[in-house]
Amino acid sequence: MGCCSSAAQSSKREWKPLEDHSCTDVPWLLLFILFCVGMGFICGFSIATGAAARLLSGYDSYGNICGQKNVKVEGIVNSGLDLTHKKYVFFLDPCNIDLVHQKIKSLALCVSACPRKELKTLADIQKFAETNGSTLCSYELQPSEYTTDPAAAKLCPKYPVPESAPIPFFHRCAPVNISCYAKFAEALITFVSDSSVLHRLISGVMTSKEIIMGLCLLSLVLSMILMVIIRYISRVLVWILTILVILGSLGGTGVLWWLYARERISASAVETQIAKDNLQALLIYAIAATVFTVILFLIMLVMRKRVALTIALFHVAGKVFIHLPLLVFQPFWTFFVLILFWAYWITVLLFLGTTGSPVPNEEGFVEFRMVGPLKYMWWYHLVGLIWISEFILACQQMTVAGAVVTYYFTREKRNLPFTPILASVNRLVCYHLGTVAKGSFIITLVKIPRMILMYIHTQLKGKENACARCMLKACICCLWCLEKCLTYLNQNAYTATAINSTNFCTSAKDAFVILVENALRVAAINTVGDFMLFLGKVLIVCSTGLAGIMLLNYQRDYTIWVLPLIIVCLFAFLVAHCFLSIYEMVVDVLFLCFAIDTKYNDGSPGREFYMDKVLMEFVENSRKSMKEAGRGGGAEGRELKPMIHRQ
């Protein structure tokens, strides 16, 4: 790897885009690797202790794993049996569920086959054992004793024994009819037990599966088309949105004052307390709306020039996707990697559920429990879920940032690398994995306390007093806001690292300084730009939903098509969010590059701009407007004025 031969990172005062490539935050990379080794140790430990076999093959109440020979557990009868031919776990009372401890409170046995039909009496259970060779009663009871032994009522399953079938890959006999769980999920069973509704919903999905697939493809095409349209009509779209917002605010304020005037005239004739309260409330609303409208108008007035920058950045972002078409597929690769990791994490979590030493419980049966420090592996595994997931997302951000930075700071676009995305991935793997690990760990530090507080709030719901509930919600809200701010700063820090190859702290500091110096521009991009993209998502979902209603309306094979429509709309929103989020990310990276470009270059020989022609026109128009207004030393002038480099 490139890290092995690179020199130590030195502090840099000047921005030298793509000139240096050095390793960043190597200790954090080593720490992350050690953490991943710990995650692997948890997986290996759970497999080595037999958890994988107990999870997949299942085990009975005496600690025997079904389908194999077992070792005797001291102090437990019926343990250490040879159950090679008994591959399925059968619960004598499968409907006796303990919701507190999340387990089935029933004797579990290993059987040769699950009862494929309902057994109503002990005689039926005996006949099933003699016919199929599968004994459903406790091991010490012979099939011939099922109807004669007085203890058979306790050692045999509770009858009638429901029809059951083995769960694929997990060898557990599960009741085919889940209505026996009705007392634990009455609302769900009430809906499911209405077979007519359930069958119509299922038939609706199955009958319209071709339409669902077509509509999902339509949402994909609409997302791509919208990304192209935004580039060409961004100017018109932004100003239309701005005018609509202003007109909406003025209209709402006018309506409130009109209602207040009408209520005041009618209230003078009827002097009641209710009329006075309504009049006072309308006055407060009208004043608040007026203040909001004035502030909004002033903000629009101040930011009107920054809106032009948002338009230019959206236009350039469209060009970026033309030169780097593989950027469109980044969300799919990231989602695929996340799915693989989440599947691994859930599998290991299931392993941990059956890991530990066999311990007799108060009922004389075996439970597997972890003792000592090993019981904290659950927490380690949970932290791993958050940190590694954030690491994968951060890798996507760094990859996109590196590719866009390469595009921006390459003067001749014909000289771009053959695959800028792969070049960015190569730089990430060779130099900047430590920076990504550090940034994702910071997000993890904020996310874990918020999740803990949310869990506490859920557990104490209805028990805590109003003050405690308010404090918990306030803390959760503050942590959420902090997480969003840190995520935005991290993304810009990754961009700074991609530009100048500096470590995370230096990059975050440099990016923060740039963002503060361009605070009004940042506000314009994050309000106008994000609002545009949000409306784009709404447009795609509404268009797909409308097409779905029109197509599904002609399906006469069933009456309920709500579920297919919901599936289509959810998929459309997911696709639109993935595409337009990448667009938003590209715009943010372009803005930081533009801010750095205008800060350290002035267009003179030797200090030429890197920016696109559209952005160059924005800079020239800004300078002309400042000269005409005689405000060359204003805020906009300070933003565009080149700074003196200090060594």
Side-chain angles (χ1 to χ4, degrees):
M1 291 177 62
C3 294
C4 300
S5 59
S6 63
Q9 178 70 45
S10 60
S11 62
K12 302 179 181 180
R13 294 182 178 274
E14 296 185 18
W15 292 81
K16 299 179 179 178
L18 305 175
E19 292 185 10
D20 298 320
H21 296 295
S22 58
C23 283
T24 55
D25 300 294
V26 177
W28 279 93
L29 175 60
L30 298 177
L31 179 63
F32 182 74
I33 292 174
L34 289 176
F35 183 85
C36 292
V37 170
M39 293 283 290
F41 169 79
I42 292 176
C43 179
F45 172 81
S46 60
I47 295 175
T49 54
R54 285 194 289 271
L55 174 66
L56 298 177
S57 300
Y59 60 96
D60 62 13
S61 297
Y62 307 105
N64 300 302
I65 299 176
C66 300
Q68 68 179 48
K69 294 181 179 180
N70 295 275
V71 180
K72 178 71 176 179
V73 178
E74 293 297 330
I76 300 296
V77 296
N78 293 327
S79 63
L81 301 179
D82 183 1
L83 302 175
T84 306
H85 301 292
K86 298 183 177 182
K87 300 181 179 180
Y88 303 101
V89 180
F90 176 76
F91 297 95
L92 270 62
D93 188 7
C95 295
N96 188 8
I97 301 176
D98 184 358
L99 291 180
V100 177
H101 298 92
Q102 299 177 354
K103 64 179 182 180
I104 299 177
K105 292 182 64 176
S106 169
L107 179 66
L109 302 173
C110 294
V111 299
S112 302
C114 302
R116 293 290 185 159
K117 63 179 182 178
E118 187 180 57
L119 307 177
K120 299 181 179 180
T121 63
L122 285 174
D124 292 340
I125 297 173
Q126 184 182 41
K127 184 179 179 180
F128 177 80
E130 293 172 350
T131 304
N132 299 279
S134 181
T135 55
L136 303 182
C137 296
S138 186
Y139 300 132
E140 63 266 23
L141 200 64
Q142 298 300 320
S144 59
E145 302 173 341
Y146 285 3
T147 56
T148 59
D149 196 316
K154 295 182 179 179
L155 299 178
C156 288
K158 182 180 178 180
Y159 53 85
V161 180
E163 177 188 357
S164 61
I167 300 176
F169 306 109
F170 289 99
H171 301 89
R172 269 79 166 177
C173 295
V176 175
N177 184 3
I178 63 173
S179 60
C180 64
Y181 302 130
K183 58 182 179 179
F184 304 104
E186 293 182 358
L188 176 63
I189 295 302
T190 300
F191 172 75
V192 174
S193 61
D194 185 359
S195 57
S196 62
V197 176
L198 179 62
H199 291 165
R200 280 183 291 170
L201 286 176
I202 294 176
S203 64
V205 175
M206 296 305 298
T207 308
S208 60
K209 56 182 181 296
E210 293 84 3
I211 295 179
I212 293 176
M213 295 177 62
L215 291 172
C216 291
L217 182 61
L218 175 64
S219 65
L220 188 66
V221 174
L222 288 177
S223 299
M224 293 183 177
I225 293 175
L226 182 63
M227 294 178 66
V228 177
I229 291 177
I230 289 177
R231 175 194 171 188
Y232 292 103
I233 67 168
S234 55
R235 182 183 301 275
V236 177
L237 190 60
V238 167
W239 286 118
I240 288 176
L241 292 177
T242 303
I243 293 172
L244 287 178
V245 169
I246 294 176
L247 291 179
S249 300
L250 291 173
T253 304
V255 169
L256 284 173
W257 281 113
W258 175 72
L259 290 175
Y260 170 74
R262 191 182 68 172
E263 189 71 19
R264 185 172 183 179
I265 295 173
S266 60
S268 60
V270 182
E271 292 292 339
T272 62
Q273 187 62 36
I274 296 177
K276 292 181 180 179
D277 292 340
N278 290 335
L279 185 64
Q280 185 178 5
L282 280 174
L283 179 61
I284 295 174
Y285 295 155
I287 293 175
T290 303
V291 173
F292 173 79
T293 303
V294 171
I295 294 176
L296 180 64
F297 183 77
L298 292 176
I299 291 176
M300 291 292 185
L301 189 64
V302 173
M303 296 174 57
R304 67 188 188 281
K305 295 180 180 178
R306 278 79 182 181
V307 172
L309 176 59
T310 304
I311 297 170
L313 288 174
F314 269 75
H315 187 82
V316 177
K319 291 185 177 180
V320 171
F321 281 98
I322 293 177
H323 286 86
L324 311 177
L326 292 180
L327 278 178
V328 176
F329 300 100
Q330 289 306 302
F332 297 103
W333 295 117
T334 303
F335 182 72
F336 177 72
V337 174
L338 282 174
I339 288 295
L340 291 180
F341 170 68
W342 290 340
Y344 162 82
W345 188 87
I346 293 174
T347 303
V348 176
L349 181 66
L350 295 175
F351 287 165
L352 288 177
T354 54
T355 299
S357 303
V359 178
N361 59 15
E362 58 275 3
E363 299 175 355
F365 300 134
V366 170
E367 291 183 357
F368 293 92
R369 300 174 183 172
M370 288 187 292
V371 295
L374 294 178
K375 62 184 179 182
Y376 297 109
M377 287 195 299
W378 294 85
W379 292 102
Y380 191 97
H381 196 57
L382 178 61
V383 174
L385 169 67
I386 301 174
W387 192 4
I388 297 178
S389 298
E390 291 295 330
F391 178 84
I392 295 172
L393 294 173
C395 284
Q396 173 187 270
Q397 295 175 354
M398 179 68 85
T399 300
V400 173
V404 177
V405 164
T406 301
Y407 170 85
Y408 187 96
F409 288 106
T410 301
R411 298 187 188 278
E412 294 293 334
K413 307 308 178 187
R414 293 174 295 180
N415 298 331
L416 282 170
F418 178 69
T419 53
I421 298 291
L422 294 181
S424 178
V425 172
N426 180 64
R427 288 198 302 271
L428 167 64
V429 173
C430 293
Y431 302 106
H432 304 315
L433 284 178
T435 298
V436 171
K438 186 174 182 179
S440 57
F441 180 76
I442 292 174
I443 300 298
T444 304
L445 285 181
V446 179
K447 185 166 288 187
I448 290 178
R450 182 169 66 87
M451 295 178 65
I452 293 175
L453 290 177
M454 291 175 65
Y455 175 77
I456 294 174
H457 181 265
T458 303
Q459 294 298 313
L460 298 179
K461 194 171 185 179
K463 300 178 182 178
E464 79 280 14
N465 56 35
C467 182
R469 183 168 58 252
C470 182
M471 290 180 62
L472 273 176
K473 290 184 178 179
C475 292
I476 293 172
C477 182
C478 291
L479 287 174
W480 181 83
C481 294
L482 178 60
E483 179 186 334
K484 293 302 179 183
C485 293
L486 288 176
T487 301
Y488 181 73
L489 182 60
N490 278 10
Q491 180 179 327
N492 286 279
Y494 299 147
T495 304
T497 298
I499 295 174
N500 230 19
S501 198
T502 51
N503 60 45
F504 179 83
C505 291
T506 303
S507 299
K509 181 190 69 175
D510 294 341
F512 181 76
V513 171
I514 294 292
L515 294 175
V516 170
E517 291 176 351
N518 297 268
L520 293 177
R521 289 175 172 177
V522 173
I525 293 171
N526 287 339
T527 52
V528 179
D530 290 355
F531 187 61
M532 280 181 57
L533 296 178
F534 171 75
L535 290 181
K537 298 174 187 178
V538 173
L539 176 63
I540 291 174
V541 173
C542 292
S543 301
T544 307
L546 179 61
I549 291 175
M550 295 175 64
L551 292 175
L552 293 171
N553 186 47
Y554 291 98
Q555 280 283 5
R556 302 300 181 185
D557 298 332
Y558 57 93
T559 57
I560 296 180
W561 41 264
V562 175
L563 187 57
L565 189 63
I566 292 176
I567 293 174
V568 168
C569 290
L570 288 177
F571 184 84
F573 179 80
L574 178 63
V575 171
H577 178 73
C578 290
F579 275 89
L580 297 182
S581 294
I582 289 293
Y583 204 101
E584 178 183 358
M585 196 181 303
V586 170
V587 170
D588 289 338
V589 174
L590 285 173
F591 169 72
L592 190 64
C593 295
F594 169 78
I596 294 169
D597 195 11
T598 55
K599 181 176 180 178
Y600 290 95
N601 297 307
D602 58 2
S604 60
R607 299 178 65 179
E608 296 86 358
F609 288 121
Y610 289 93
M611 65 185 66
D612 189 87
K613 182 172 64 174
V614 177
L615 292 173
M616 192 82 70
E617 292 176 357
F618 165 78
V619 173
E620 294 299 328
N621 292 336
S622 299
R623 288 177 173 174
K624 289 179 181 178
S625 62
M626 286 185 295
K627 288 180 180 179
E628 293 174 358
R631 294 185 292 107
E636 190 77 20
R638 289 194 299 272
E639 289 177 355
L640 297 176
K641 183 179 179 180
M643 297 184 65
I644 300 175
H645 295 281
R646 297 181 180 179
Q647 301 296 330

